Amino acid sequence: MRADSYCMSCLVQKQEQRIRDFKDEDKKTEFMRQVLELIGSCDPELSAPSIIRRIAPLYEAYWGKPRDMEREKKEFNEFLLEMEPDLEQAIRREEDPLKAALNYARMGNYIDFTTVKNVSREGLLELFDTQKEKPVDQKEYDFFRRDLETGRKLVYLPDNCGEIVLDKILIRLLKELYPKLDILVLVRGVPVVNDVDMEAAREVGLDGIAEVLENGSAIAGTDLKDISEKARKAVEEADLIISKGQGNFETIHGCGLNIYYLFLCKCGWFMKRFGAGMLDPMFLNERRI
């Protein structure tokens, strides 16, 4: 999905917010000029996450490496791991556990430190309490179940740490219900904000229930032009794909593959595009949007 005028404006604002408290105003002005020039000279077909990856070296050249998010990643991985047994029991008690698992996995997309202000445990628990009020679309869910019954290869594109534990529960159920389904989880190639990388996947034990592969990319998404050949081939040969989060949507939408998107609307563009409110949950298919 190409970055439009709204996305470009947002990119500029986010960079200004990152440096707002720095003291050297001349340096800040020059940095922002460079940001504007970079955005203006980028391939017009690039998605916002792909442009952000190109801004990263510029930021580092001016201000040094940004603070990593290892503390936040570990905090929410550990928090959800503590809750995992109780969450899984609650999901399995539902009339349709798979549908419930989809809903919980979707709500977990709240744990996003780049787009959600003041991410908290309390905020996540509130979403869990209200998840039944906005179930996944039944018509789309019926398509999903039919694809699972006939498919042989599923690629799962996770998004953030913490929510990966909910993805793990969903994947476990999928493997039980569809034992012939080959499931591959494609994580980020390097640490990117609080996204799931190989270390985080191993930390929550995901590698113990499914094959996990690094995508070879430093983009906070899944850009088919940027990921490794092995990862791209796996995505293109999959019978169906589950894609978590806005970043994955922004980078892979438009490819025409059989992708089921699970995310919360967390910015103005998504709210306008889907006629939704802030943190409204989405379950959409690439071919039927």
Side-chain angles (χ1 to χ4, degrees), residues 226-278:
D226 194 77
I227 61 177
S228 69
E229 181 178 353
K230 184 177 181 180
R232 179 183 54 78
K233 185 177 181 182
V235 172
E236 292 178 344
E237 291 181 352
D239 296 302
L240 68 159
I241 300 155
I242 296 175
S243 170
K244 294 292 299 296
Q246 292 184 166
N248 279 326
F249 182 95
E250 290 176 277
T251 47
I252 202 170
H253 174 53
C255 68
L257 298 172
N258 188 26
I259 304 173
Y260 287 88
Y261 296 105
L262 279 175
F263 60 86
L264 298 182
C265 289
K266 294 171 288 190
C267 80
W269 186 93
F270 278 84
M271 292 163 63
K272 181 179 179 181
R273 170 66 175 81
F274 298 110
M278 179 62 74

Side-chain angles (χ1 to χ4, degrees), residues 143-160:
F143 280 115
F144 179 64
R145 292 298 295 254
R146 286 197 288 270
D147 284 341
L148 288 171
E149 290 166 4
T150 59
R152 289 294 176 266
K153 293 182 180 181
L154 184 154
V155 169
Y156 201 107
L157 307 178
D159 192 13
N160 301 309

Side-chain angles (χ1 to χ4, degrees), residues 144-188:
F144 179 64
R145 292 298 295 254
R146 286 197 288 270
D147 284 341
L148 288 171
E149 290 166 4
T150 59
R152 289 294 176 266
K153 293 182 180 181
L154 184 154
V155 169
Y156 201 107
L157 307 178
D159 192 13
N160 301 309
C161 289
E163 79 176 276
I164 189 65
V165 177
L166 301 163
D167 299 328
K168 177 184 167 187
I169 296 172
L170 173 56
I171 290 169
R172 187 181 288 124
L173 280 170
L174 286 168
K175 291 179 73 68
E176 291 177 11
L177 293 168
Y178 303 96
K180 294 182 179 180
L181 193 64
D182 180 27
I183 300 177
L184 172 68
V185 182
L186 206 58
V187 300
R188 307 290 187 249

